[in-house]
Amino acid sequence: MNDRDTLISMGFDVARVEWALKATGNRGLQPAMDHIIEHDGQPVPEMGTVTESASSRPSDAMDEDDEDADALKALGAKAGDVEAKSIKCSECGKVFRNTALAQFHAEKSGHQSFEESTEEIKPLTEEEKKERLAELRAKMAEKRANKAIEDAKEAKSSEMLRRKAGKDMGALKEEMEKRQALQDAEKKKREKIEDAKAKAAVKAQIEADKKARAEKAAREKALRNGEAIVDAPAAKPAASTSGGAPVAGKDFKETRLQIRLSTGGQPYTTTLSSDAPLREVAEFLAGQVLAVDVETVTFAQSFPRKTFSKSDFSKSLRDLGLTPSAVLIATP
């Protein structure tokens, strides 16, 4: 509803309403009301006077007037015999000063049946106008207060949603940081294990090379002095007696092994006690290569050709004829 309809619904004259709106430049409801109250009792200027003639009324109201006139004629009366001073709602009985107010009532209530009435509506007194104005101001203030309350509730709800979203994001970020920390710790642990394995392999290689150089120097010294070479029988490591026990290398306390993977790659060397079981060789290799499982790895010897079974894992290197040195092929 615009300012014009609001002022008319309060009972102000249409001409004064239009005068007030034009004089205040349509700046709003409050300036127009102030103008009406301030100029109450003064004649409406001719330029601002807008009478409720047939040309200024809506077409719907004109149609209603024509229909009412036709109805009066149908009853045998003349339209000029009855002077309509107001419009009455046939459904609720309310009386309105003019057609504009009746149309406003029809829009709000949905009522469609109206009739002309000879009942005259007295103009509002100064007290009534002030009461209406105070009532309207109170309603506007209440509406603004309710709007402020709704805005505050909406702002509070939005703030709660924002805080909840922030809390959820914080929890998700914390969970991601924990997972990343666990992954970093696991990575460092694996790197530490790999470093330890690499250091052990390097150390074992250094020891093996040192021992090999010592054995070589001992053999060369024995050759220069014409002495017997102690590890000469190592060329026949697999010789055995009729009882099945190996003979060669039985006096060596340690066995030097070179282990090659059937899948290729660098060989691994180690020196173990000659009394160590073959399973210890599998455990050493599993510590060097992640793909090797102690329970599934198998060993073979190229020369003399021989394959070691699971039952051989409990036998010593001495009993298997691998002393003082041997080359094994490992299949993961």
Side-chain angles (χ1 to χ4, degrees):
M1 184 170 62
N2 55 31
D3 296 340
R4 181 180 182 277
D5 294 338
T6 301
L7 292 169
I8 293 174
S9 67
M10 294 174 61
F12 296 115
D13 185 68
V14 176
R16 290 191 175 276
V17 170
E18 293 184 351
W19 177 29
L21 292 173
K22 186 174 181 180
T24 58
N26 291 306
R27 294 196 303 271
L29 185 63
Q30 187 62 46
M33 286 191 297
D34 293 340
H35 184 277
I36 292 174
I37 295 173
E38 182 180 353
H39 297 83
D40 185 45
Q42 298 179 9
V44 179
E46 184 176 348
M47 182 179 295
T49 302
V50 180
T51 60
E52 190 171 346
S53 62
S55 60
S56 63
R57 285 185 292 172
S59 60
D60 293 342
M62 295 175 65
D63 294 339
E64 279 189 9
D65 294 342
D66 295 338
E67 290 175 2
D68 291 341
D70 293 339
L72 289 173
K73 289 179 181 178
L75 293 173
K78 294 181 180 180
D81 295 340
V82 180
E83 182 180 358
K85 297 183 179 181
S86 61
I87 299 176
K88 183 177 181 179
C89 177
S90 302
E91 299 183 29
C92 65
K94 289 185 177 181
V95 181
F96 304 96
R97 186 185 305 275
N98 50 48
T99 306
L101 293 175
Q103 286 181 339
F104 177 75
H105 173 73
E107 292 175 359
K108 294 297 182 182
S109 63
H111 297 169
Q112 300 296 328
S113 179
F114 294 87
E115 60 184 5
E116 290 185 342
S117 174
T118 58
E119 181 179 350
E120 184 178 0
I121 301 176
K122 296 181 180 180
L124 295 175
T125 63
E126 291 298 325
E127 294 295 331
E128 290 175 339
K129 290 180 180 180
K130 291 180 179 180
E131 289 178 1
R132 291 281 186 91
L133 182 59
E135 181 181 353
L136 181 60
R137 288 176 175 174
K139 288 183 178 180
M140 293 177 64
E142 182 181 0
K143 186 176 180 181
R144 286 195 294 267
N146 292 335
K147 183 66 168 56
I149 293 174
E150 292 297 326
D151 291 344
K153 289 182 179 179
E154 185 176 354
K156 184 177 180 181
S157 178
S158 300
E159 179 64 17
M160 291 177 65
L161 291 175
R162 187 189 66 79
R163 290 183 179 182
K164 185 177 184 301
K167 185 177 181 181
D168 293 342
M169 288 296 295
L172 179 61
K173 183 178 180 181
E174 184 178 354
E175 181 65 21
M176 292 179 65
E177 289 177 352
K178 287 182 179 179
R179 291 183 180 180
Q180 186 63 39
L182 290 175
Q183 292 177 359
D184 293 342
E186 186 66 23
K187 182 179 179 181
K188 289 182 180 180
K189 184 178 180 180
R190 289 196 302 268
E191 291 175 352
K192 187 176 181 180
I193 293 174
E194 293 297 328
D195 290 343
K197 290 180 179 179
K199 291 179 180 178
V202 171
K203 184 177 180 180
Q205 184 67 46
I206 292 173
E207 293 295 330
D209 292 343
K210 184 187 297 184
K211 187 170 183 179
R213 288 195 298 270
E215 291 176 353
K216 182 179 179 181
R219 287 195 298 271
E220 291 176 352
K221 183 178 179 180
L223 288 173
R224 287 195 302 271
N225 296 334
E227 299 175 354
I229 301 175
V230 178
D231 59 349
K236 301 176 181 180
S240 60
T241 62
S242 58
V247 175
K250 62 180 180 179
D251 296 328
F252 292 94
K253 295 182 179 180
E254 293 181 340
T255 300
R256 183 171 180 268
L257 297 174
Q258 185 182 86
I259 307 169
R260 298 180 179 274
L261 294 176
S262 60
T263 56
Q266 65 175 6
Y268 298 89
T269 59
T270 183
T271 301
L272 301 174
S273 171
S274 297
D275 296 327
L278 183 60
R279 183 180 183 84
E280 194 168 327
V281 179
E283 291 174 350
F284 164 78
L285 186 60
Q288 304 299 317
V289 184
L290 295 177
V292 173
D293 188 349
V294 176
E295 302 301 330
T296 59
V297 67
T298 59
F299 294 101
Q301 194 174 21
S302 299
F303 182 83
R305 185 176 297 277
K306 183 178 181 181
T307 301
F308 300 95
S309 62
K310 285 295 180 182
S311 60
D312 295 326
F313 272 42
S314 59
K315 297 180 181 179
S316 66
L317 301 179
R318 188 192 308 277
D319 294 338
L320 295 175
L322 299 177
T323 56
S325 64
V327 177
L328 296 177
I329 308 299
T331 303

